[in-house]
Amino acid sequence: MRKLFLLFLPLFAASCGQVKQQVSAPEPVNVMSFNIRYDNPEDSLDNWKYRKDRAANAIRFYDVDILGTQEVLHNQLEDLKQRLPEYGVIGVGREDGKEKGEYSALWYKKERFNLLDSGYFWLSETPEVAGSKGWDGACERIASWAKLQDKASGKEFFALNTHLDHVGVVARREGISLILDRINALSDGLPVIVTGDFNSEPESDVIKHVTDPSNPEHLTDARQASPIVYGPAWSFHDFGKIPYDKRPLIDYVFVRNRLKVLRYGVLAETEENAFLSDHAPILVTVE
């Protein structure tokens, strides 16, 4: 009997090892925040028609899994959908809740993620009213969100993308308070990823409110949490027109709930002095 047991022991060990190999460990997730600049005919050689292929190629080259885009007009959305068929997208035009105005479009890689739930709301006193403008804001502002499940690991994420007002001080402050409340209500304790153009620098009251550790709803700035930081300390350059030392950092990726930041980069690259946009994309890897 003892010989028989010893004979089968290696088979049991191999079987146990095989089971372990079938369990997929969570893979890192590449996250990008990218203000693509709206399709403005006055942009001359920086117009979208000259940039759309480069922008789409950058997204694919950096193997982005979750992508938050801002200032996306409907024709730009269609251009990106055509060039990035491997991505699903959530979002509506901010002016009418359909196709009018800019989208804060949230993209995810369909091959990697199941879309469990999604939605959007306006940054205003009436978040469910399409086209509503909030507080002292100059424009309608919107946030798009999704619950995603990694198909390989089964892990779930809550992702949100937004664009705060560029004029209204109250609109930025109240807008981020609304976003933090909605994240708390919608995320069900899942790991949280937030992308966006916040039109606020790191030392501003807005960003301090986002990252305030005394607030149980606070988020962590991926730049501050990353052991590797690549690129400049700014993101907005107006197609290179702003002097280098005057360029502000106003684009962010924030995280919460068990997400470890592995790397952070500002992609301030050019091709023959041509930029991807008037903003540099932010690329972050988390696990």
Side-chain angles (χ1 to χ4, degrees):
M1 176 64 75
R2 188 169 182 276
K3 289 182 179 179
L4 190 64
F5 175 77
L6 293 174
L7 179 65
F8 280 100
L9 187 59
L11 296 177
F12 291 144
S15 175
C16 291
Q18 192 172 22
V19 170
K20 286 181 180 178
Q21 290 173 3
Q22 290 173 351
V23 177
S24 297
E27 290 291 327
V29 178
N30 293 328
V31 181
M32 179 181 280
S33 184
F34 189 5
N35 184 323
I36 67 168
R37 172 67 171 178
Y38 74 98
D39 187 1
N40 184 350
E42 297 180 3
D43 282 345
S44 185
L45 293 178
D46 290 317
N47 181 262
W48 174 247
K49 65 184 177 182
Y50 301 114
R51 298 186 291 109
K52 56 188 177 183
D53 289 326
R54 292 204 311 275
N57 284 339
I59 293 163
R60 300 184 95 169
F61 177 79
Y62 287 108
D63 194 25
V64 178
D65 297 302
I66 298 174
L67 168 68
T69 52
Q70 305 88 38
E71 292 196 23
V72 185
L73 296 179
H74 187 70
N75 67 295
Q76 294 175 289
L77 185 84
E78 293 301 317
D79 285 339
L80 289 175
K81 285 168 68 175
Q82 181 182 3
R83 287 162 176 75
L84 302 169
E86 66 270 38
Y87 289 86
V89 60
I90 297 109
V92 293
R94 69 187 187 187
E95 292 183 27
D96 64 354
K98 297 177 182 176
E99 298 179 356
K100 187 178 180 183
E102 295 176 7
Y103 293 65
S104 287
L106 179 63
W107 309 72
Y108 63 95
K109 201 175 280 184
K110 292 185 289 187
E111 186 177 78
R112 176 161 189 182
F113 297 105
N114 291 316
L115 178 63
L116 303 179
D117 197 5
S118 66
Y120 42 84
F121 56 91
W122 277 260
L123 308 188
S124 75
E125 296 93 329
T126 53
E128 314 309 327
V129 177
S132 55
K133 194 182 296 185
W135 304 281
D136 59 346
C139 303
E140 305 86 353
R141 298 292 177 177
I142 196 170
S144 306
W145 61 270
K147 286 182 182 178
L148 301 168
Q149 182 186 50
D150 191 308
K151 293 180 180 180
S153 69
K155 297 290 185 181
E156 296 180 13
F157 300 85
F158 179 86
L160 182 145
N161 178 55
T162 194
H163 188 180
L164 297 186
D165 202 71
H166 64 303
V167 173
V169 175
V170 178
R172 287 195 293 273
R173 184 178 67 243
E174 295 298 327
I176 197 58
S177 293
L178 174 63
I179 286 170
L180 291 175
D181 288 345
R182 285 297 179 99
I183 290 172
N184 207 45
L186 294 167
S187 65
D188 296 325
L190 295 175
V192 171
I193 297 167
V194 175
T195 54
D197 175 353
F198 284 71
N199 275 309
S200 306
E201 296 188 57
E203 297 306 314
S204 68
D205 290 341
V206 172
I207 302 304
K208 287 181 178 179
H209 180 42
V210 175
T211 59
D212 179 7
S214 67
N215 181 359
E217 298 180 349
H218 80 278
L219 306 171
T220 298
D221 183 353
R223 183 183 181 92
Q224 300 303 317
S226 180
I228 301 172
V229 175
Y230 171 79
W234 48 259
S235 60
F236 179 61
H237 52 79
D238 193 17
F239 292 114
K241 296 171 189 172
I242 301 176
Y244 195 90
D245 60 345
K246 303 294 184 185
R247 298 175 183 180
L249 177 65
I250 59 175
D251 301 271
Y252 297 88
V253 175
F254 296 104
V255 297
R256 194 173 84 185
N257 293 351
R258 306 178 302 281
L259 279 177
K260 181 181 179 181
V261 180
L262 302 181
R263 62 174 183 158
Y264 168 101
V266 178
L267 308 179
E269 58 200 40
T270 60
E271 182 180 334
E272 295 183 356
N273 296 319
F275 292 90
L276 292 171
S277 174
D278 60 341
H279 291 240
I282 307 297
L283 181 68
V284 173
T285 302
V286 298
E287 69 174 5

